[in-house]
Amino acid sequence: MSAVQAEALRKTFGNVTAVEDLSFAIEHGELFGCIGPDGAGKTTLFRMLTSLLVPDAGSATVMGCDTVRDYKQLRRRIGYMPGRFSLYQDLTIEENLAFFASIFGTTVEKNYEMIADIYRQIEPFKKRRAGQLSGGMKQKLALSCALIHKPDILFLDEPTTGVDAVSRREFWEMLRRLKEGGMTIVVSTPYMDEAGKCDRIALMQKGHILGIDTPDNITGSYARPLLDMRGADVYRLILALREFPHTHSVFAFGESVHYTDSRSSADPEALAVFLRSRGFANITIEPIRASVEDSFMELLEQHDG
Amino acid sequence: MNSFKGFVIKELYHIFRDRRTMLILFGMPVVQLILFGFAIRNEVNNAYIAVLDLSKDDVSEAIVNKLLSSGYFRLAEYIESEERIEAVFRRGKVKEVIIFEPQFAQRLRSEGTAHLRIVADAADPNMAKLLVSYTTAITNGYAQELGQRASIVVVPEVKLLYNPELKSVYMFVPGLVALILMLVSALMTSITITREKELGTMEILLVSPLRPFQIIAGKVLPYLLLSLINVLSVLALARFLFGVPFRGSFLLFMVESLLFILTALSLGIMISTVSKTQQAAMMISLGGLMLPTILLSGFVFPVENMPVPLQVISHIIPARWFVVIARGIMLKGTGLDYLWKETLVLAGMATLLLSISVRKFNERLQ
């Protein structure tokens, strides 16, 4: 049986459908990423899988436990790190850790080897209150607290949101080592560039899963010719490209513009000519491989269309 | 370490590390006691009176002397005509005017009855009532000294004094214990639980194997202990600062306090289940619990004097029952043989509210 098995999960709040008929499976030992912008339904999905919310329809099992019926057994077996920094700010690092160990009926000493790798990095500051820690340190502490009772599966809801780039990289490194130790990890993130760190990803938007596969397969199945364009005025460039007859889609991508052609192959030369006629002088046009974000945009368009 | 002990330790850290919590827990009872004890007094002290003596004889003079030497009254002025009465009141200083009828002493001696009129400033009705009753008590006392055949008829109707020793601080202390316990127990519990919701830590507590009653017990126990400490400190302060007696069984008092604290804690938990933010919890606690506790418990205003609908409502106010119990034990030395009914009501409320609050405490997110 899979580590997580969801069947047509649905949750609505008032007249907003947060999660709509999601079915998927996560295998044991997998590092699985739920990727999507705010409001995609990631947190609601996590809360249903961790037994904090009861689905309106459908069902899910986590580690063989039904999330509604067997929630008591389930809660002993999962480690959960909610989206916000949810530790006691007025308690020190070691007090927080000792508290979370105690409520699972264990001690820090007994399970030290479980967290040693991560905890050692913040141990020199163990007398410091959690409220005074940097974002990266808070995140390490939160992960230590979620691991202290040796869970079988970890749910991390946007653990890297609001954390600096270096700490984010370190964090993914820690997750990779945990995975190597056999842990099943389900993580959510709004950052598309983190998708590549996962074994498999689910791209989510407005309560739907647009695609679920390995990152390579997701980007590999991107069918359209994709061009990266750089120029002075991105906004005007987008407006101009929308008037080009063969444009399929145009969207801003950081400081450049990603363009897809509606034909099976694009014609950069013709595009350059078109743009020059619209007064764009120094535009670099370069064919590129699709990123996860490109795939996300494409899947979103297919889904909405 | 077992999970319950860990929880209580964590809760104590929260309490002792938060200056505001400490202030509410330990500063407020002292401040309230001193405020209620010194500032808000229902007793008469140096109230200014004016006298319109149409008789000017030895008896009327003796009565005025008697009033002034009681310490409750101070003479503002003698006035000469009834028309002056209103003017005197309007200036605001004088709270009561005493009018002796003409030939006061002569009538008292020949007919055995003389008339004395009291006009009190009812802008403060409670004070007016008190002044009138003090005056009546003193004049009647004088009449008795004169012998049984003499009687002075005082015109206003007089209500029985509910505080025979005329000390309002005696009356306040039991009510104050109720108020402080309600505040500390209900307000603090509701805030501490909603704080966990607000900070998101409740999510982690809920996905842990802790059962709702364990979370509640761990939250509540530290406040229960601190509330009991508060009871002791208020009693000690009352004793040594205001000389309030403690006549009954101390043990019984503590047990009754425990019952009342449990009731208040359950109310706090119930409030926390319906409020999402600390502010909301605070508003509900203050508006929904504090005001009724002050106004409807008989703590400041006697329940018997309330309009009937309010008297009916007062029955569901836990403090009303506790105030009766506390006054009985502290001031009268009453035992369980007289207070069993109130105790039973309180115990019933505690059981009911506690079981409702544990049941209402959601083990999932709403």
Side-chain angles (χ1 to χ4, degrees):
Chain A
M1 196 177 198
S2 305
V4 175
Q5 187 90 48
E7 294 294 338
L9 277 183
R10 174 203 289 265
K11 183 76 191 175
T12 53
F13 298 105
N15 46 18
V16 179
T17 305
V19 164
E20 201 169 335
D21 302 328
L22 291 191
S23 301
F24 59 92
I26 299 171
E27 300 310 321
H28 288 276
E30 208 172 13
L31 174 49
F32 187 89
C34 291
I35 296 170
D38 292 347
K42 305 186 298 289
T43 298
T44 305
L45 175 63
F46 274 50
R47 285 178 171 169
M48 284 194 284
L49 294 179
T50 52
S51 82
L52 281 170
L53 286 176
V54 176
D56 295 333
S59 66
T61 58
V62 173
M63 291 294 159
C65 303
D66 186 279
T67 56
V68 177
R69 197 185 57 231
D70 312 320
Y71 72 98
K72 285 180 195 169
Q73 293 104 287
L74 175 65
R75 287 177 180 185
R76 297 192 167 275
R77 301 183 59 185
I78 55 176
Y80 173 48
M81 205 173 131
R84 284 175 297 166
F85 175 67
S86 305
L87 298 168
Y88 298 102
Q89 316 264 344
D90 52 341
L91 263 54
T92 64
I93 289 182
E94 63 177 349
E95 286 162 356
N96 265 299
L97 198 57
F99 171 68
F100 286 105
S102 78
I103 62 174
F104 283 92
T106 182
T107 61
V108 178
E109 295 72 37
K110 224 185 276 175
N111 288 348
Y112 188 81
E113 99 286 350
M114 186 76 210
I115 56 161
D117 202 26
I118 302 155
Y119 185 56
R120 231 178 262 134
Q121 303 173 44
I122 50 171
E123 209 167 9
F125 314 101
K126 63 183 181 183
K127 301 279 181 207
R128 201 180 283 179
R129 304 233 172 130
Q132 296 157 358
L133 299 176
S134 69
M137 283 166 81
K138 282 180 179 173
Q139 187 197 40
K140 282 171 193 150
L141 175 58
L143 186 58
S144 302
C145 289
L147 281 170
I148 191 64
H149 60 288
K150 285 190 172 172
D152 300 330
I153 181 167
L154 261 185
F155 288 93
L156 312 172
D157 191 8
E158 298 202 9
T160 53
T161 300
V163 179
D164 65 272
V166 175
S167 298
R168 275 169 61 184
R169 208 173 318 124
E170 275 179 19
F171 193 79
W172 281 100
E173 186 54 31
M174 289 188 277
L175 294 190
R176 196 185 56 76
R177 280 202 295 273
L178 280 171
K179 175 195 135 58
E180 280 165 9
M183 178 75 74
T184 308
I185 303 171
V186 188
V187 60
S188 75
T189 176
Y191 303 122
M192 302 280 170
D193 56 328
E194 291 181 338
K197 319 270 189 186
C198 303
D199 295 335
R200 282 200 308 144
I201 53 173
L203 293 177
M204 291 183 68
Q205 167 71 341
K206 291 187 179 143
H208 294 277
I209 289 182
L210 303 176
I212 185 165
D213 210 330
T214 63
D216 283 345
N217 284 349
I218 289 222
T219 52
S221 61
Y222 195 88
R224 292 185 186 281
L226 180 66
L227 298 176
D228 179 271
M229 302 189 188
R230 285 167 196 271
D233 190 340
V234 170
Y235 178 67
R236 270 201 334 120
L237 185 59
I238 291 174
L239 291 185
L241 283 170
R242 288 211 175 125
E243 285 168 28
F244 187 66
H246 302 295
T247 298
H248 172 68
S249 72
V250 182
F251 59 93
F253 195 95
E255 284 167 10
S256 61
V257 173
H258 280 192
Y259 162 89
T260 56
D261 205 281
S262 55
R263 298 162 294 181
S264 57
S265 68
D267 186 353
E269 286 305 312
L271 256 173
V273 171
F274 170 78
L275 286 175
R276 262 197 299 276
S277 74
R278 294 297 175 106
F280 292 92
N282 298 313
I283 304 290
T284 57
I285 302 176
E286 201 182 337
I288 50 161
R289 258 180 63 85
S291 68
V292 171
E293 187 163 353
D294 294 310
S295 305
F296 181 81
M297 298 307 281
E298 179 62 23
L299 288 167
L300 194 58
E301 193 153 294
Q302 286 172 12
H303 182 84
D304 288 348
Chain B
M1 186 163 44
N2 86 38
S3 49
F4 183 68
K5 197 173 133 204
F7 206 109
V8 171
I9 290 175
K10 177 216 100 176
E11 213 53 46
L12 287 173
Y13 282 142
H14 290 326
I15 294 170
F16 288 113
R17 285 181 185 171
D18 185 32
R19 208 171 297 153
R20 269 187 309 174
T21 308
M22 289 296 279
L23 211 62
I24 293 182
L25 272 177
F26 297 107
M28 196 193 57
V30 176
V31 172
Q32 282 198 330
L33 186 68
I34 290 172
L35 262 180
F36 278 102
F38 282 123
I40 309 172
R41 293 203 165 193
N42 259 358
E43 67 200 60
V44 179
N45 250 332
N46 293 326
Y48 280 98
I49 55 169
V51 176
L52 172 55
D53 193 348
L54 301 173
S55 177
K56 291 205 174 83
D57 53 44
D58 58 323
V59 179
S60 67
E61 197 182 321
I63 289 175
V64 171
N65 282 339
K66 198 95 186 153
L67 286 172
L68 296 182
S69 62
S70 69
Y72 301 129
F73 300 102
R74 196 181 276 191
L75 184 69
E77 57 184 305
Y78 275 101
I79 52 175
E80 299 303 330
S81 69
E82 293 215 24
E83 286 80 60
R84 291 275 302 136
I85 293 177
E86 238 189 283
V88 164
F89 277 128
R90 223 171 266 153
R91 262 182 277 143
K93 184 171 146 194
V94 169
K95 300 292 173 205
E96 184 187 67
V97 175
I98 297 167
I99 303 138
F100 293 95
E101 64 176 343
Q103 287 106 38
F104 191 81
Q106 202 183 323
R107 284 199 188 177
L108 195 64
R109 285 186 189 111
S110 59
E111 299 164 27
T113 304
H115 287 84
L116 175 74
R117 208 144 53 89
I118 301 173
V119 183
D121 179 0
D124 179 351
N126 283 333
M127 183 51 86
K129 249 184 223 167
L130 273 170
L131 287 173
V132 169
S133 49
Y134 276 51
T135 314
T136 316
I138 291 168
T139 39
N140 283 342
Y142 178 74
Q144 267 168 15
E145 276 174 38
L146 285 179
Q148 284 189 333
R149 49 191 182 77
S151 71
I152 300 169
V153 176
V154 179
V155 178
E157 271 183 36
V158 177
K159 204 188 121 323
L160 201 71
L161 288 177
Y162 61 86
N163 180 356
E165 285 161 275
L166 306 179
K167 287 264 194 180
S168 56
V169 68
Y170 285 19
M171 296 305 293
F172 277 132
V173 166
L176 201 57
V177 172
L179 182 66
I180 290 167
L181 289 183
M182 190 50 91
L183 194 74
V184 168
S185 310
L187 179 70
M188 300 309 281
T189 339
S190 64
I191 286 183
T192 174
I193 297 179
T194 38
R195 184 188 296 148
E196 301 240 12
K197 282 197 204 170
E198 235 179 86
L199 294 178
T201 44
M202 189 56 93
E203 253 179 88
I204 311 192
L205 294 184
L206 289 177
V207 289
S208 78
L210 287 175
R211 312 292 314 129
F213 74 87
Q214 286 175 303
I215 297 180
I216 290 176
K219 280 268 163 213
V220 149
L221 187 74
Y223 287 99
L224 193 106
L225 294 177
L226 293 172
S227 301
L228 284 177
I229 294 175
N230 265 324
V231 174
L232 293 178
S233 58
V234 168
L235 287 184
L237 266 180
R239 184 65 180 262
F240 298 115
L241 203 57
F242 299 107
V244 179
F246 194 96
R247 301 201 172 99
S249 152
F250 183 71
L251 184 71
L252 179 62
F253 188 84
M254 291 315 274
V255 173
E256 301 277 7
S257 299
L258 199 68
L259 270 184
F260 183 66
I261 292 170
L262 278 178
T263 316
L265 290 172
S266 317
L267 285 169
I269 300 164
M270 281 171 69
I271 289 171
S272 74
T273 58
V274 294
S275 39
K276 286 207 165 64
T277 63
Q278 295 182 61
Q279 263 94 344
M282 198 187 297
M283 291 306 291
I284 300 176
S285 301
L286 291 177
L289 296 180
M290 291 289 295
L291 285 180
T293 301
I294 296 176
L295 299 177
L296 296 179
S297 67
F299 160 32
V300 181
F301 310 109
V303 175
E304 306 83 63
N305 291 3
M306 291 174 195
V308 178
L310 285 186
Q311 284 196 36
V312 173
I313 294 173
S314 81
H315 283 89
I316 59 161
I317 310 290
R320 177 211 150 114
W321 305 97
F322 181 71
V323 165
V324 173
I325 294 171
R327 277 184 186 157
I329 297 175
M330 285 181 69
L331 305 180
K332 297 185 213 154
T334 319
L336 204 54
D337 42 349
Y338 285 102
L339 296 172
W340 63 270
K341 196 182 88 185
E342 285 81 6
T343 308
L344 217 58
V345 172
L346 212 53
M349 281 181 171
T351 320
L352 183 75
L353 290 174
L354 200 59
S355 51
I356 292 178
S357 62
V358 172
R359 196 156 310 162
K360 269 205 80 178
F361 189 86
N362 208 327
E363 44 194 356
R364 298 176 199 271
L365 297 172
Q366 252 82 2

